[in-house]
């Protein structure tokens, strides 16, 4: 399964605003000989004249599928308005949002073992909060494109309805592949300013059991900020899932 990580350059194609403060960035991979597994990540290095203390690079999950041969896509949050402490966004994110078409960007990768191994036929449950959905977008798109019959249930939590992205796209995938189930939940519906008729509340034992009837059977994959991952891991363990069936990926400093 191993793919050797290497340095490479890709031309920037475009950015796309998904919701407030969340953007997807597309890079041309045509004829680049780039291979990766669904769920892997890479390091992006930007040319920044005077970077702040966080430096000129970040790690990003490749949110697109390996089978989308024209481009790779990463998705991240960028808060362009000043934050309460007055610091604003990092020099890296400011540079990222200003990328121009055809500008070449340096990468290193792919890396990571948090991947969709299609040789394993066990049921999967994907659990994520917010931007932690990115590796699962790659995995579900890939599973759909290959018409895999592995039972997969995605349960993803967003704070409010206006924070949600990829909902329609992933629901269409689930509609067209009976092995895939997609559940979105909103943890703070009272703060939502758009209508939401789906699940509400955090990812809980009740929510998991209501959508995964044979909940001790699957492998569980959890992604998000460390505190959220630890909380969901506790929930999964409390319903009786053994540690060897739980795989986690912490998103820090994105």
């Amino acid at each position: 399964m191993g793919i050797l990580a290497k340095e490479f350059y890709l031309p920037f194609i475009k950015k796309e605003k998904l919701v407030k403060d969340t953007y997807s960035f597309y890079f041309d991979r045509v004829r680049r000989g780039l291979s990766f597994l669904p769920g892997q990540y890479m390091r992006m290095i930007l040319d920044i004249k005077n970077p702040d203390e966080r430096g000129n690079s970040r790690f990003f999950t490749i949110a697109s599928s390996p089978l989308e041969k024209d481009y790779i896509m990463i998705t991240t949050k960028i808060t362009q308005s000043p934050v309460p402490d007055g610091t604003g966004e990092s020099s890296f994110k400011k540079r990222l949002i200003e990328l121009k078409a055809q500008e070449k960007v340096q990468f290193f990768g792919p890396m990571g073992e948090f991947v969709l191994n299609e040789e394993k036929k066990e049921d999967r449950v994907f659990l994520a909060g917010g931007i932690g959905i990115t590796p699962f977008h790659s995995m579900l798109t890939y599973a759909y494109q290959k018409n895999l019959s592995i039972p997969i249930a995605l349960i993803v939590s967003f704070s409010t309805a206006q924070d949600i992205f990829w909902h329609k796209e992933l629901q269409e995938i689930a509609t067209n592949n009976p092995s895939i189930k997609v559940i979105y939940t909103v943890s703070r519906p009272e703060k939502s300013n758009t209508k939401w008729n789906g699940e509400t509340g955090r990812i809980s034992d009740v929510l998991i059991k209501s959508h995964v009837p044979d909940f001790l059977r699957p492998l569980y994959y959890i992604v998000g900020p460390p505190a959220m991952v630890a909380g969901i891991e506790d929930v999964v363990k409390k319903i009786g899932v053994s540690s060897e069936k739980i795989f986690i990926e912490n998103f820090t400093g994105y």
Side-chain angles (χ1 to χ4, degrees):
M1 285 185 63
I3 297 175
L4 192 64
K6 61 183 178 181
E7 180 184 292
F8 57 95
Y9 289 79
L10 299 179
F12 173 65
I13 302 173
K14 65 175 182 177
K15 64 177 178 284
E16 176 185 14
K17 186 174 183 178
L18 301 181
V19 293
K20 182 178 181 289
D21 299 338
T22 304
Y23 295 80
S24 288
F25 295 82
Y26 293 78
F27 299 86
D28 185 352
R29 65 177 286 210
V30 176
R31 297 184 297 277
R32 305 285 163 174
L34 174 63
S35 298
F36 64 95
L37 300 172
Q40 286 194 298
Y41 63 91
M42 59 192 176
R43 183 184 183 196
M44 181 192 295
I45 304 98
L46 293 179
D47 179 19
I48 304 172
K49 288 184 178 179
N50 296 297
D52 58 26
E53 66 279 0
R54 293 187 62 191
N56 67 342
S57 69
R58 292 287 190 282
F59 293 97
F60 292 112
T61 299
I62 305 172
S64 50
S65 162
L67 298 178
E68 290 165 324
K69 299 295 188 182
D70 291 344
Y71 62 85
I72 61 168
M73 180 260 286
I74 64 106
T75 299
T76 189
K77 294 178 74 69
I78 298 182
T79 307
Q80 291 184 274
S81 56
V83 292
D85 66 3
T87 58
E89 192 52 88
S90 67
S91 60
F92 181 93
K93 291 291 184 71
K94 287 177 181 177
R95 180 75 174 86
L96 178 61
I97 200 76
E98 292 169 357
L99 284 176
K100 301 291 191 293
Q102 298 306 309
E103 184 174 346
K104 289 192 175 181
V105 175
Q106 182 182 356
F107 294 92
F108 182 83
M111 296 173 278
E113 298 179 0
F114 189 90
V115 299
L116 178 66
N117 182 352
E118 59 192 289
E119 294 174 8
K120 290 185 176 182
K121 301 305 179 186
E122 293 96 330
D123 296 15
R124 317 287 164 86
V125 176
F126 294 163
L127 305 173
I131 202 70
I133 193 176
T134 52
F136 298 141
H137 182 271
S138 176
M139 294 180 192
L140 288 174
T141 305
Y142 178 82
Y144 170 66
Q145 290 167 335
K146 290 202 72 175
N147 198 28
L148 299 182
S149 58
I150 302 168
I152 301 173
L154 167 70
I155 304 177
V156 57
S157 170
F158 286 87
S159 292
T160 66
Q162 59 266 27
D163 295 323
I164 284 175
F165 55 91
W166 292 334
H167 182 251
K168 182 179 178 181
E169 175 187 340
L170 293 180
Q171 287 288 3
E172 287 180 1
I173 283 176
T175 299
N176 290 302
N177 185 326
S179 296
I180 296 173
K181 182 186 289 188
V182 172
I183 303 98
Y184 276 57
T185 184
V186 169
S187 60
R188 302 179 69 188
E190 74 282 358
K191 299 288 186 180
S192 297
N193 56 26
T194 57
K195 189 176 181 181
W196 176 249
N197 295 319
E199 295 280 6
T200 58
R202 296 172 182 262
I203 295 174
S204 64
D205 56 341
V206 174
L207 186 62
I208 293 171
K209 288 178 179 179
S210 66
H211 292 286
V212 188
D214 195 0
F215 58 86
L216 293 178
R217 179 176 172 178
L219 304 175
Y220 284 77
Y221 292 72
I222 309 171
V223 186
M228 191 219 75
V229 167
I232 295 179
E233 186 180 10
D234 285 344
V235 168
V236 173
K237 285 181 176 178
K238 283 176 182 175
I239 65 175
V241 178
S242 58
S243 295
E244 60 266 22
K245 284 191 165 189
I246 302 172
F247 304 88
I248 66 173
E249 177 110 308
N250 287 307
F251 275 19
T252 58
Y254 51 81

